[in-house]
Amino acid sequence: MNTPLVALTGNPNCGKTTLFNALTGANAKVGNYPGITVERREGRLLLGHDAVRLLDVPGTCSLSARTAEEQIAVSALAGLDGGEHPDAVLLVADATQLSRHLYLVLQVLELGLPVVLVLNMLDEVERADLAVDLDVLRQALGVPVVAVSAAQGRGLDEVRRALEKVLRDPAAATSARVDGAPSGALAEVIEHVGQALPGDWVAPHAARRDGLARWALLSVEPDDELAAVPAALREAAQAGRERLEAAGHDVDLELIAPRWAWIDELLARAMGDKRTVIRKVTDALDKLLIHPVIGLALFLLVMTLLFESLFTWASPAIDLVDGVVSSFGQLVGGWLPEGLFRDFLTDGLIAGVGAVLVFLPQIVLLFFFLSLLEDSGYMARAAYLMDRLMKSLGLTGRAFVPLLSGFACAIPAIMATRTMERRRDRLLVMMVVPLTTCSARLPVYTLIIAALFPGPDEAGGQLFAGLSLQSGLMVAFYVFGTVVALLAAGVFGRTILRGSSPPLVLELPPYRLPRWRSVFRTMWERSRLFVSEAGTVILVCTVVLWALLAFPQEAPVSPELQAERGAVQSELDTLSEAQVAQVGNTPDAPDGSARALPGTEVVSGLQEQLAVLDARAEGERLRASYAGQLGRAIEPLIQPLGFDWRIGIGLLGSFAAREVFVSTMGVVYGVGDEADETSGSLKNGLREARWPDGSKVFTPLVGLSLMVFFALAAQCMSTLAVVKRETASWGWPLFLMTYMTVFAWVGAFAVYQGGRFLGYG
Amino acid sequence: MPDLPSLALGQPARLLQVGGPRSYRRRLMELGFVPGTELRLLRRNGPGKLLEVELRGGRVSLRAAEARVLEVEALA
């Protein structure tokens, strides 16, 4: 027999995840639901000697699903889509908001599943001096009810015991319909729709036919996005609704209102008159935090702090990752004999892993802040404050969270769109999020700015008091990306993704102190998911890029270069021999240190010369490599932007991940693989690069053009891959790539040609 | 008939009718906005004109323009 599956569900903000963590310890398996990027968390829960699997189902207020997450909730509970039927449901409700949360409880009971109702937030109920009569609830609902405080870890054993009992005797915890059966025409239609249900939906629990029929009647509408509903059921539900409406019925009201009447009656008995928790602290905080002026100012402060710490805290870690990866590469390079395999390992595989890992510090920090903001309840306020701006773009405040995540990386941002209701809104966000300045653009901007624009101590390096030209440029590009993203949303929302702003229904949960364990756990799990999502693509692209740069292997070095190198080498050899001979005859200095040898400077000068020549030879080989051929093939296309074929290679390479541009430039300009955006040799290499006619490749104008290109281009395979999977189409990722590339080309063209016209560069 | 956005802050009221497009109306009803429900306007906020409503021991924020579909009567 299989290990039993228990589904854990409840309203958003009911403390479901805290309970999940408390019950399963630290062993959740996080993955994706097939086909879409909704996190699927499954953990092992020990009941005495037996283990069961606990599945964390996305939180929802109701089973009439609208968002991708809610659809998952319904499918997981009812076992639609051919999914596994849960053996029991742990249903969590916030005892301080019992009325609202009981609505979902009734819907789940209607599915005929064995249920244990867990009343959470026991501590807050006690503090608010409320009382819930559990026996009244048990009797009325016909299922076991347990009161817990997941945050304090109270009542967990009782949950386990209740669950154990339910799994042994499911019938005792199955309740089906509690709030009375409808009569007349409505009952007939429900019966009729029930007949149209697919057999495997109803199979294990015949009692659920009625519940699922109501669900279909309430949820199916012409423009819903319920992919799992078969045509016959869809037709039956729509026909039934039309028939009832023609006879003067208000179908939704007649299905929904009796539930509320029943809940009201039940709570009057179970709680008495006192049911509302007074939220003193939350109200006092909200006076400030969602105030139209003060709240907005504080919001901007929070965002500034967030980004500031994202950069200042992440950069030492990024340097560390960089350092560790490159010394590991050198170490491995030292062990292995020279050759193709070594190059593949160090320049392909290890460099590829490094390209992934280097993103981690910022991603981890971002997830840390996001889960902190979510756990404390502030995220809902941010959405609230941003609603007006989002509405003007045809979105709601809820779109704010994905857009915010985009500043770290477009991939988690695209994943976050799953909390949005309509496909059109999700698409709109997915199409513009890649324009926000993600962390992968940073190293590119840093390199270009540092190499081509005067530093704070140089002439022209200060804009005005306190702001250097270099930091000013960086800020300007952040603003540029954000403005373009918002403009693009405005344009798409009025053209290809036309639609009105959906109505806003937002819940402002009470502020709660974040629980560090859960914050860190969320951070860890999401980061791991990111590595497996984006990591694979970046790794594969880096390896492919390496191969393009490495082949063909035989280097057609020009005769002049060979001759020059030979001359330097032989001079060096002669000198070294002379030195070796000298060392034998030179006594040590009186203090014991070796005496400086004559000719040392000459030797090191020659060695340097040799290195330069080797780099030039490598440059020639590169020119003939497949990547070089590609770069030269696209040169006519990018020349109007001020780019040569070497930059072309960099642009091609940056399709793996934008920041790969930096290391590719390092290879292309022959300063070695250890180049990073701060290394002096790479900066000098860029400054010295020439066109065949001897003019400089990198002028400040070319730098600007290149940065505009990077700001606008969709150079990220992982993003395109995630969009492809999320939209289940090739069309949208292709559109994304096409429009952004066109934007980027036109933008860079305008900057470069406009600048030249005005006499710069 | 007065609508929800026109209520004075803190004034207890009873919901009489819920209108609006089907999906919005259904969502409101599933959050507890059914005729007969008692509610209170807690906050009316800022240039975006967002409302915070208390009902059934919980709170929901709605846009004022959209919440006009909720007809109410003030309670003494």
Side-chain angles (χ1 to χ4, degrees), chain A residues 554-568:
Chain A
E554 59 278 7
V557 179
S558 62
E560 309 93 73
L561 194 60
Q562 262 170 337
E564 207 175 326
R565 192 185 186 284
V568 176

Side-chain angles (χ1 to χ4, degrees), chain A residues 522-538:
Chain A
T522 315
M523 174 185 99
W524 162 246
E525 286 175 355
R526 290 190 191 165
S527 309
R528 228 174 40 179
L529 201 58
F530 165 82
V531 170
S532 63
E533 291 289 322
T536 352
V537 182
I538 298 178

Side-chain angles (χ1 to χ4, degrees), chain A residues 243-390:
Chain A
R243 220 172 74 209
L244 287 167
E245 277 169 358
H249 284 272
D250 183 340
V251 183
D252 291 338
L253 185 68
E254 285 171 39
L255 286 170
I256 295 170
R259 290 176 182 152
W260 287 115
W262 193 84
I263 291 170
D264 286 344
E265 191 272 332
L266 170 64
L267 282 187
R269 283 191 291 137
M271 291 186 82
D273 291 335
K274 207 173 154 203
R275 286 180 235 166
T276 309
V277 175
I278 296 168
R279 303 176 175 179
K280 261 196 211 135
V281 179
T282 295
D283 282 342
L285 281 173
D286 271 343
K287 273 214 171 73
L288 293 174
L289 291 177
I290 58 176
H291 186 278
V293 180
I294 305 171
L296 213 54
L298 288 171
F299 166 77
L300 290 177
L301 186 70
V302 169
M303 288 300 116
T304 314
L305 284 177
L306 193 153
F307 283 114
E308 183 62 29
S309 39
L310 218 53
F311 298 129
T312 48
W313 296 1
S315 64
I318 292 174
D319 292 345
L320 186 72
V321 171
D322 239 12
V324 169
V325 170
S326 68
S327 27
F328 181 67
Q330 281 166 357
L331 197 67
V332 172
W335 286 337
L336 293 171
E338 211 165 304
L340 200 56
F341 179 66
R342 188 187 80 172
D343 288 351
F344 167 74
L345 267 190
T346 54
D347 299 347
L349 212 54
I350 295 176
V353 172
V356 178
L357 290 184
V358 94
F359 286 114
L360 260 189
Q362 278 197 337
I363 295 289
V364 167
L365 267 178
L366 179 87
F367 284 141
F368 170 76
F369 286 118
L370 286 185
S371 57
L372 197 63
L373 292 178
E374 253 167 60
D375 253 35
S376 61
Y378 187 75
M379 204 53 116
R381 271 76 184 180
Y384 184 99
L385 288 166
M386 287 294 103
D387 184 61
R388 193 169 175 227
L389 175 65
M390 293 296 143

Side-chain angles (χ1 to χ4, degrees), chain A residues 512-715:
Chain A
R512 295 200 165 102
L513 281 178
R515 277 171 296 271
W516 295 109
R517 243 189 89 190
S518 118
V519 168
F520 281 113
R521 186 165 168 157
T522 315
M523 174 185 99
W524 162 246
E525 286 175 355
R526 290 190 191 165
S527 309
R528 228 174 40 179
L529 201 58
F530 165 82
V531 170
S532 63
E533 291 289 322
T536 352
V537 182
I538 298 178
L539 183 62
V540 169
C541 289
T542 320
V543 171
V544 169
L545 181 70
W546 167 81
L548 287 177
L549 285 166
F551 293 97
Q553 280 276 296
E554 59 278 7
V557 179
S558 62
E560 309 93 73
L561 194 60
Q562 262 170 337
E564 207 175 326
R565 192 185 186 284
V568 176
Q569 183 70 57
S570 65
E571 198 176 336
L572 193 61
D573 289 344
T574 333
L575 254 178
S576 312
E577 271 162 36
Q579 258 185 353
V580 171
Q582 232 178 3
V583 169
N585 303 334
T586 313
D588 281 350
D591 61 358
S593 66
R595 244 182 224 169
L597 298 166
T600 305
E601 307 85 44
V602 184
V603 170
S604 65
L606 283 172
Q607 273 165 345
E608 249 168 58
Q609 240 179 309
L610 203 59
V612 169
L613 290 173
D614 280 344
R616 264 176 57 195
E618 175 60 18
E620 287 190 19
R621 196 197 60 73
L622 201 69
R623 194 181 150 81
S625 72
Y626 294 122
Q629 293 172 24
L630 277 173
R632 280 182 292 147
I634 64 164
E635 197 180 56
L637 271 176
I638 55 174
Q639 213 162 9
L641 316 180
F643 308 159
D644 69 349
W645 64 270
R646 295 185 192 84
I647 302 181
I649 298 181
L651 294 184
L652 292 174
S654 64
F655 274 90
R658 292 178 176 89
E659 61 108 41
V660 170
F661 180 78
V662 175
S663 53
T664 313
M665 285 287 109
V667 177
V668 171
Y669 284 105
V671 292
D673 313 328
E674 306 85 49
D676 65 42
E677 65 272 21
T678 50
S679 75
S681 51
L682 180 52
K683 273 188 262 181
N684 289 332
L686 294 190
R687 285 180 194 145
E688 293 313 314
R690 305 276 161 176
W691 287 97
D693 66 6
S695 63
K696 277 192 175 183
V697 173
F698 286 95
T699 61
L701 186 60
V702 170
L704 274 185
S705 166
L706 197 53
M707 288 206 299
V708 166
F709 191 90
F710 267 91
L712 299 175
Q715 290 150 307

